[in-house]
Amino acid sequence: SVEPSVFEVVYLSTTNGKMYILEPFARFLYQIENEPYITKLIEFNDAIYICTYRSSIDQSRVYRHDVSVATLLETFPNDLSEVLGVAVYDGDLYFGLKNGEVWKYNGFVFSRLTTFSDTIKTLYADRDYLYIGFQNSQSFALYNGSTFTTLDVG
């Protein structure tokens, strides 16, 4: 009889823009040119998405890992756009930026949903809400797919 073997695939990124795959042995995939710092990796819709940040121009970009290349999908247009939080909620991909912006990607289009006055430090999602944590703050925000609610915990 034949029994299939299953193993986990791990993607590894470095701060100098290099992508590796561990399957089960390490293999170099590619380097994203002119992107010195990969900040986040996340799986969404059976693909790996890569967030990068360039401090020299204070901008973040989002790429999709496409086998042997990284395909640029979005450049966030405003200053302080470093992606500090990313999460999948209700079938969409969300990005929390240092400048307080929350962006949504539905697999086709990026759209800015709102801007908070505080730096977004983290995003987390469960079945019911997208949770938005702020840096140096005693509050957090909930998003239910249509409205944001800010709660004070202090």
Side-chain angles (χ1 to χ4, degrees):
S1 78
V2 176
E3 292 186 34
S5 64
V6 177
F7 60 90
E8 295 289 326
V9 174
V10 176
Y11 289 89
L12 172 72
S13 65
T14 64
T15 57
N16 61 358
K18 292 183 179 180
M19 284 287 294
Y20 294 86
I21 189 169
L22 310 174
E23 57 172 351
F25 303 104
R27 180 169 51 95
F28 175 73
L29 293 173
Y30 51 80
Q31 181 167 1
I32 303 173
E33 293 299 320
N34 300 315
E35 294 295 350
Y37 188 54
I38 295 176
T39 59
K40 303 283 182 193
L41 294 178
I42 190 166
E43 182 185 6
F44 173 67
N45 285 348
D46 297 323
I48 300 296
Y49 289 80
I50 306 161
C51 300
T52 66
Y53 177 68
R54 279 212 251 166
S55 60
S56 62
I57 58 173
D58 201 14
Q59 271 188 341
S60 283
R61 293 181 174 165
V62 178
Y63 293 84
R64 183 182 57 239
H65 166 66
D66 291 327
V67 184
S68 62
V69 297
T71 302
L72 177 63
L73 300 177
E74 181 72 20
T75 299
F76 295 115
N78 298 319
D79 289 342
L80 299 173
S81 68
E82 183 178 0
V83 175
L84 298 179
V86 63
V88 176
Y89 169 68
D90 199 26
D92 296 315
L93 186 56
Y94 290 84
F95 302 88
L97 308 185
K98 188 174 188 175
N99 61 14
E101 294 177 349
V102 177
W103 286 74
K104 173 181 161 180
Y105 177 64
N106 65 7
F108 302 101
V109 177
F110 282 81
S111 55
R112 185 169 52 114
L113 297 180
T114 193
T115 303
F116 292 98
S117 60
D118 292 324
T119 295
I120 295 173
K121 185 63 177 169
T122 188
L123 295 183
Y124 172 78
D126 62 19
R127 236 182 48 210
D128 301 316
Y129 296 103
L130 175 68
Y131 300 85
I132 302 158
F134 302 106
Q135 184 173 314
N136 300 323
S137 176
Q138 293 187 2
S139 65
F140 68 97
L142 299 175
Y143 179 65
N144 64 6
S146 60
T147 59
F148 289 92
T149 303
T150 302
L151 303 170
D152 189 12
V153 293

